[in-house]
Amino acid sequence: MVIVNPSLLTVGLISVALLHANFVMSQYDPEGHKGTTGNIKQVFEGRCWDYDVTRYIPDLPRVTASCEELWKLFFKAFSYQPPCAVALENYQPYLRSATQIVPRDKVLFWSGVFSLAHEYGNYGRRYVTLEDTLIGYLANSITWCGQSIDPGYNVTRCPAWDDCPLEAAESFWAGASMTFAQGAKGEVLLMLDGSNPDKAAYRRNSFFGKFELPNLSKEVTKVSVIVSHALDKPKIDVCGAGSLDLLETDVTERGFSYVCHDDPLAVLHLLCADDPSSRECKLAIKHIRGDLDPSKVDPPAFNKIQEFF
Amino acid sequence: MVIVNPSLLTVGLISVALLHANFVMSQYDPEGHKGTTGNIKQVFEGRCWDYDVTRYIPDLPRVTASCEELWKLFFKAFSYQPPCAVALENYQPYLRSATQIVPRDKVLFWSGVFSLAHEYGNYGRRYVTLEDTLIGYLANSITWCGQSIDPGYNVTRCPAWDDCPLEAAESFWAGASMTFAQGAKGEVLLMLDGSNPDKAAYRRNSFFGKFELPNLSKEVTKVSVIVSHALDKPKIDVCGAGSLDLLETDVTERGFSYVCHDDPLAVLHLLCADDPSSRECKLAIKHIRGDLDPSKVDPPAFNKIQEFF
């Protein structure tokens, strides 16, 4: 007997709302105007220890520098400097020490689909994003900026990304993205958001357009693009039109092959897992269910709430 | 134009193999006979800093003890003691200091489905497992055991769980599971593996049977069970039969309501995301695709490789 479970349904609906919020979430978004993350040294070094011991991604080379050395190089890049004058080059010694070369055919770039891309990549086990590498892992979710007086970093307020031309965090992510692209080999995957009415799926001034595509190594053969669309929302950008046409031009002009796929099935299932009651996913219900248990193909009182379970 | 991408297909097939390996993965499995995790203090305290700052789960209360204090309490519980004589009570001071009460209707127990349960719970955002709380988070993936001589812990070899009656790690997880169950409120969810030919979905000697069910707080009203089945594998245990009947008896005898669901749709979609070419998931393809783009309902040359994309 299937008993309707309203509270679990509520939780399901809340998670749908969270998914939509996450859909455009990005590590590139500044978190308002917070100051440098409290206890940043402990957090940075702690995440570094954790990464090495419990978050190790098979096939990624280990970094030989110690966590303490990495912190010193990272801190040196921005500390005791005005927040708006950190050159991209400042991070080079740190980036050189922390770089890991990702195996061929495993690099995943993304734009506008932070959560979905990391889920699809399965946090480095299927594909490797910048945030799965040590460089991105350590910096993701933290905030930092320098100041010329002691303690060398501002604990109360860091500028937003648009407030100055070379804000500390943006120049870090620019350098990190370039380094990540320079190490890519074989086929690379790029996941884009085709449902954002305010931003085209591909933009030349995105991180991918500005720092990754122009720095792709000559060992890259193909750029394989996935355009994902939020369930039950209009499809604004699709393969073969609009900004994806521009992307095809920019990719092929650099000598790489190009393929584009709208909503590959594995990605659709990820979206349906978060929102099984959406219109698209509901159509599949009877067919999945029917195969698993023929007696359930046309259950009596088959209604929307039961479909959640 | 859809271009077949053999290397991505290969990656997909590898991920399927990984999924099946993960399906029965568990933090309760000892990792062979390794010694205590190297640099355990730095890793433990580092994860503690990271948890507080970047892995914070909304609605879970913050722990007031510092990371250093927590390490001292944890270390004191097993250090300088023979590995086979650590009583469950030893961990009580640590468990008391690190406990977080999970909000009503959010507790998720699991047995035999480590990866799937954590994916379904969305790492604390939809449901909260023991491993999403600080207590479980800090201990998950590390190994430890004591010895009576300096440095107080064995760096080369820890006993397996079956080697002695009260091995350090097992008594920790027993205490942690009891504490977790004692704090549960409202409806609790339990995810079980219905496809394991060697282990019944519910066993009275599992962690759930031994430590969680008997310690469920009186504020729990209902135990809602999800039995998940690996795709394209025989369904060995299902709701309303076999070990699930025994579970219903054990749950209702304690005064809780009981419901059981085989393969709720959200969980099925999670499995299909990992294995879109399985028989069950393929049946849904045309119907999901058809709704998204009517021109693709019956594409020419619709073959297995294209279905992956």
Side-chain angles (χ1 to χ4, degrees):
Chain A
M1 186 177 66
V2 176
I3 295 178
V4 174
N5 188 327
S7 71
L8 289 175
L9 179 71
T10 308
V11 172
L13 294 175
I14 291 168
S15 75
V16 172
L18 284 175
L19 176 78
H20 288 165
N22 283 344
F23 202 76
V24 290
M25 178 178 138
S26 157
Q27 101 280 37
Y28 301 135
D29 275 339
E31 295 175 285
H33 280 76
K34 283 196 264 183
T36 300
T37 298
N39 302 297
I40 189 171
K41 179 179 191 293
Q42 286 89 336
V43 173
F44 185 97
E45 291 188 9
R47 303 183 95 197
C48 176
W49 282 108
D50 188 22
Y51 184 89
D52 192 49
V53 173
T54 78
R55 307 209 163 253
Y56 169 70
I57 294 171
D59 304 330
L60 278 198
R62 302 233 184 225
V63 166
T64 53
S66 73
C67 292
E68 201 184 343
E69 287 164 352
L70 291 175
W71 164 253
K72 282 182 182 163
L73 289 171
F74 179 75
F75 188 61
K76 195 176 175 196
F78 68 90
S79 57
Y80 292 100
Q81 294 168 60
C84 283
V86 177
L88 198 141
E89 291 70 34
N90 279 30
Y91 287 103
Q92 285 307 321
Y94 169 67
L95 293 174
R96 266 197 301 274
S97 296
T99 294
Q100 297 158 294
I101 295 299
V102 177
R104 179 174 297 275
D105 302 335
K106 292 279 252 179
V107 162
L108 169 55
F109 301 103
W110 60 270
S111 190
V113 286
F114 180 92
S115 299
L116 189 65
H118 291 87
E119 268 186 77
Y120 184 63
N122 202 4
Y123 307 95
R125 289 184 283 273
R126 191 183 295 147
Y127 292 101
V128 178
T129 65
L130 173 56
E131 297 74 31
D132 296 320
T133 68
L134 183 63
I135 284 175
Y137 185 84
L138 294 182
N140 204 5
S141 317
I142 64 172
T143 304
W144 68 92
C145 63
Q147 64 182 22
S148 48
I149 55 170
D150 274 339
Y153 56 96
N154 191 316
V155 295
T156 54
R157 192 175 192 281
C158 287
W161 288 41
D162 295 336
D163 287 356
C164 42
L166 276 175
E167 185 269 318
E170 183 175 355
S171 73
F172 168 80
W173 285 112
S177 298
M178 289 167 63
T179 305
F180 188 58
Q182 284 158 358
K185 293 176 189 166
E187 291 190 27
V188 299
L189 199 59
L190 167 64
M191 287 184 78
L192 300 174
D193 177 6
S195 295
N196 189 335
D198 301 320
K199 279 184 181 174
Y202 169 66
R203 288 157 289 121
R204 281 182 173 161
N205 69 350
S206 68
F207 265 72
F208 181 78
K210 272 202 298 188
F211 303 116
E212 291 170 332
L213 181 55
N215 285 290
L216 276 185
S217 112
K218 294 293 166 224
E219 291 192 57
V220 169
T221 54
K222 184 190 278 185
V223 176
S224 181
V225 180
I226 287 179
V227 184
S228 178
H229 301 94
L231 298 167
D232 294 348
K233 291 260 177 84
K235 295 164 84 173
I236 292 171
D237 254 351
V238 293
C239 291
S243 78
L244 279 309
D245 259 355
L246 182 65
L247 177 59
E248 180 165 9
T249 302
D250 288 355
V251 165
T252 51
E253 271 182 2
R254 290 177 190 278
F256 308 119
S257 305
Y258 172 90
V259 286
C260 185
H261 306 274
D262 289 306
D263 302 301
L265 195 71
V267 174
L268 266 188
H269 278 299
L270 279 180
L271 295 174
C272 288
D274 272 303
D275 186 7
S277 64
S278 78
R279 196 170 53 92
E280 281 99 326
C281 305
K282 270 160 54 187
L283 282 182
I285 289 173
K286 280 198 288 187
H287 300 273
I288 296 184
R289 282 255 179 265
D291 187 58
L292 279 176
D293 183 350
S295 70
K296 288 189 182 164
V297 171
D298 282 304
F302 190 71
N303 64 35
K304 187 166 177 171
I305 294 176
Q306 285 185 343
E307 283 166 17
F308 183 71
F309 258 94
Chain B
M1 186 176 66
V2 175
I3 295 178
V4 174
N5 189 327
S7 70
L8 289 175
L9 179 71
T10 308
V11 172
L13 294 175
I14 291 170
S15 75
V16 172
L18 283 175
L19 176 78
H20 288 164
N22 283 344
F23 201 76
V24 291
M25 179 179 139
S26 156
Q27 103 279 36
Y28 301 136
D29 274 340
E31 296 174 284
H33 280 77
K34 285 196 263 178
T36 300
T37 297
N39 302 296
I40 188 170
K41 178 179 191 293
Q42 286 89 338
V43 173
F44 185 98
E45 291 187 8
R47 302 183 96 196
C48 176
W49 282 107
D50 188 23
Y51 185 88
D52 192 51
V53 174
T54 77
R55 308 211 162 252
Y56 170 69
I57 294 171
D59 303 330
L60 277 198
R62 303 234 183 222
V63 167
T64 53
S66 73
C67 292
E68 202 183 344
E69 287 164 351
L70 291 175
W71 164 253
K72 282 182 182 162
L73 290 170
F74 179 75
F75 188 61
K76 195 176 175 195
F78 68 91
S79 56
Y80 293 100
Q81 294 169 60
C84 283
V86 177
L88 199 141
E89 291 70 33
N90 279 28
Y91 287 103
Q92 285 307 320
Y94 168 69
L95 293 174
R96 267 196 301 275
S97 297
T99 294
Q100 298 158 295
I101 295 299
V102 176
R104 179 174 297 275
D105 301 336
K106 291 279 253 178
V107 162
L108 168 57
F109 300 103
W110 60 270
S111 191
V113 287
F114 179 92
S115 298
L116 190 65
H118 291 87
E119 269 186 76
Y120 185 63
N122 202 4
Y123 306 94
R125 289 183 284 272
R126 190 183 296 148
Y127 291 102
V128 178
T129 64
L130 173 56
E131 297 74 30
D132 297 320
T133 68
L134 183 63
I135 284 175
Y137 184 84
L138 295 182
N140 203 5
S141 317
I142 64 172
T143 304
W144 67 92
C145 64
Q147 63 182 23
S148 47
I149 55 171
D150 275 338
Y153 56 96
N154 191 317
V155 295
T156 53
R157 193 174 192 282
C158 287
W161 288 40
D162 296 337
D163 288 357
C164 44
L166 276 174
E167 185 269 319
E170 182 174 357
S171 73
F172 168 81
W173 285 111
S177 298
M178 289 166 64
T179 305
F180 187 59
Q182 284 159 357
K185 293 176 189 166
E187 291 189 27
V188 299
L189 198 59
L190 166 64
M191 287 183 78
L192 300 175
D193 177 6
S195 295
N196 189 337
D198 301 319
K199 280 186 181 172
Y202 168 66
R203 287 158 290 121
R204 282 181 172 162
N205 69 350
S206 67
F207 265 72
F208 181 78
K210 273 202 299 188
F211 304 115
E212 291 171 331
L213 180 56
N215 285 289
L216 276 184
S217 112
K218 294 293 167 224
E219 292 191 57
V220 169
T221 54
K222 183 190 280 187
V223 176
S224 180
V225 180
I226 286 179
V227 184
S228 177
H229 300 94
L231 298 167
D232 295 348
K233 290 261 177 84
K235 294 163 86 172
I236 292 170
D237 254 351
V238 294
C239 292
S243 77
L244 279 308
D245 259 356
L246 182 64
L247 177 59
E248 180 164 10
T249 304
D250 288 355
V251 166
T252 51
E253 272 182 3
R254 291 178 189 278
F256 307 118
S257 305
Y258 172 90
V259 285
C260 185
H261 305 276
D262 289 306
D263 302 301
L265 195 71
V267 174
L268 266 189
H269 277 300
L270 279 182
L271 295 175
C272 287
D274 272 304
D275 186 8
S277 64
S278 79
R279 197 170 53 93
E280 280 99 327
C281 305
K282 270 160 54 185
L283 280 182
I285 289 173
K286 280 198 288 188
H287 300 275
I288 296 184
R289 281 258 180 265
D291 187 58
L292 279 175
D293 182 350
S295 71
K296 288 189 184 164
V297 171
D298 284 304
F302 191 69
N303 64 35
K304 188 166 178 172
I305 293 176
Q306 285 185 344
E307 283 166 17
F308 183 72
F309 260 95

